Amino acid sequence: MSTTFIISLLLGLSIAGYFFGYRRSITLASPIGGVKNLHSRPAYYGMLVALWCGLPTFIIFLVWQSLEPSIISSLMIADLPLDYQNLPKNQLGLIINDIKNLATGNIVAGEKNAIMHAAANHYVQLQILSKWIKGGALLVLGLITLIIVCRRITPEQRARNHVEKIIRIVLFCCSTIAILTTLGIILSVLFESIRFFKAVPITDFLFGLKWSPQTAIRADQVGSSGAFGAVPVFIGTMMISAIALFIAVPIGLMSAIYLSEYAGKKFRTIAKPLLEILAGIPTVVYGFFAALSVAPFIRQTGGLLGLDVSSESALAAGLVMGIMIIPFVSSLSDDVINAVPQSLRDGSYALGATRSETIRNVVVPAALPGIIGGILLAASRAIGETMIVVMAAGLSARLTANPLETVTTITVQIVTLLVGDQEFDSPKTLAAFALGLLLFVATLILNVIALVVVRKYREQYE
Amino acid sequence: MESIMDIEGATLADNISMTLEQQAMASDQEAIKKKTIVSREDRRTVGEIYTEDPRMTCRNVNVHYGDNHAIIDANIDIGRNEVLAMIGPSGCGKSTFLRCLNRMNDTVEGCRVTGEITLDGQDIHGKNIDVVPLRAQIGMVFQKPNPFPKSIFDNVAYGPKIHGLASNKSDLEEIVETSLQKAGLWEEVKDRLNLPGTGLSGGQQQRLCIARAIAVSPEVILMDEPCSALDPIATARIEELIAELRKQYSIVIVTHSMQQAARVSGRTAYFHLGDLIEVGETERVFTNPRHQLTEDYITGRFG
């Protein structure tokens, strides 16, 4: 009995439950003068049966599914000879892995013997048994609930209220999943970072001016001086994001204002989708555009002006990133500007304000929360962007304020730290988690600042 | 358009088939009114179109929305310090006509205004006329209160600021205070000028909008059903305010309430399906209408 079969069985049972409930409510309704004398519409009685039949069995199925492997493993271990059971923990783990591989027919690392074969057979048997018990138990449970709920249907039963309540609970559970996932990610990053901070003091990480993430294998190794100062990387991120926003915010905002306030209908219907295409271009394409077209161009122009520009520069990456995030600013701003009621514009025009005065003093302030939202979204895209920076801004973590030099960003460093073979307990690898935490805290602070700004300057209409 | 008008007129006449008794009563009334009543089919304006000392004059004004002929050959004067009420059934063009007076229809796509409208003898569509100072001279109050999402002070200060009427902060404060006083709102809001205007009640918001219009010292104030979203008490306050403001400004008010027109206005204009039907002293129009359509409307036969 495979998992998909069990799931489709339960689903079928639910659907059958719906029809039984539906039919039963109609049968009950006929002697008392038709469906209109039932408390709820027949569909709600059907839903009630379907939900009661489907939800508990599904929950039990999930719980069973998550507990099954560990229970079967421990049952199998309990059946092993005592001298195996008394082995040290990691050796026992290896043997269990071997047995599991044997059972599924994979390649086995250690030597095989009769005990292991027997254990593997036992393991397979346990698995099959579990599947049959699971399928049978769920089917019986589903049938029992179906019959019970079906029998309890009466014309006075408040099926609608009941169903609405169940739906509310289901929706609540769905919304908590997103929150719990976020929480889980934060906690895992936090714990790994704490491990990192045990190896490298947090002050060295936050205030160190040198980023050179090597750890020595031997004490006398050449170039073993690991330095985990996040400042150059952080400054690199901030500089590139600032350049990108410097490009994207004015261009995006002004194009939004033009599109919503000045442009004709025809131009708008063509221009808006075209602008949004910018957001759909893969970042890799932007990356080689930045590396192969923009960066050489900047270097040549800089050369003409007598400036020393490196072939990979923060400016090139920032410029292209700015182009990339224009649609985030323009599209969202356009929507919120359009949402400002026409009556406010009329009021301003009637006082003799020109179009630009009206936009400056009435429309934009009223649309400010949405505009800030768009800018924030663009900023978080810029901070999190990796590919363009890898290709166009370089990898060397240099502490500089000059946008013409090569810099690197937090995301790029995380990538380089985790690419390739890694040992998961060296500070070098753990540094990636600390950088991730830093990034998370930075964007969080940005969000809070934006929230405060919006609350202070928002002009709420209606 | 012309043919549609004919059909409309004919069906109207057909629909109002009176019983003999009613006809007898009606003919009695007509006899009292010296038999000057104009039939429904005649759409030329009757009554006193002109005033002795007009502030605004409108001659042969036509408005088209695309193919729709919304105002047909309207002629009317707006006198100094008078309140002119514009009444008529929904869709008759009274709001459209009002919006012609300060060229608010400029912002409406597909709207075309022809004819001559003058303010103090100058054509408001003239080449040398800029719409910005024009709209400062002719203020407007809308149907739904539309205070800006700013503080009460900034709402009133908005106009003076963009027109540079105040040279310093104390000037501006003075303008705001006198405007709010004229609008009868000062006592209620003087302690909370920094709170948002949108937090006021509906009636207060509408008085704030009037204060906002007054702040740029206009000559004419246009009001587009200013009380339709307000309760009777707030309406009464606005009406008192109109009586007060009449001393300084010319006021044109569009209203659906004939009682309101009778209470606040000196002259009344009746619009019907894009035609200006009758103009005259308010009392005369309401007691002794000279056009059959006006009589139909004010006696509640339709509209």
Side-chain angles (χ1 to χ4, degrees), chain B residues 152 180-181 183-193 195 200-201 203-205 207 237:
Chain B
I152 294 169
L180 283 169
Q181 269 167 350
L185 193 61
W186 176 251
E187 287 303 320
E188 289 159 62
V189 300
K190 63 182 175 189
D191 300 324
R192 45 173 174 157
L193 290 174
L195 295 183
L200 296 172
S201 74
Q204 288 173 326
Q205 286 188 15
R207 276 180 280 148
R237 294 225 47 181

Side-chain angles (χ1 to χ4, degrees), chain A residues 6 8 12 25 37 60 122 137 150 155 167 169 171 211 241 251 259 295 298 325 333 356 363 365 401 415 417 441 456:
Chain A
I6 293 174
S8 43
S25 67
N37 287 331
I60 292 173
H122 188 177
C150 241
I167 289 176
I169 292 169
L171 293 179
W211 177 260
S241 304
I251 294 180
L259 282 180
I298 290 174
I325 59 178
S333 306
S356 69
V363 177
V415 170
L417 286 174
V441 171
K456 188 162 192 300

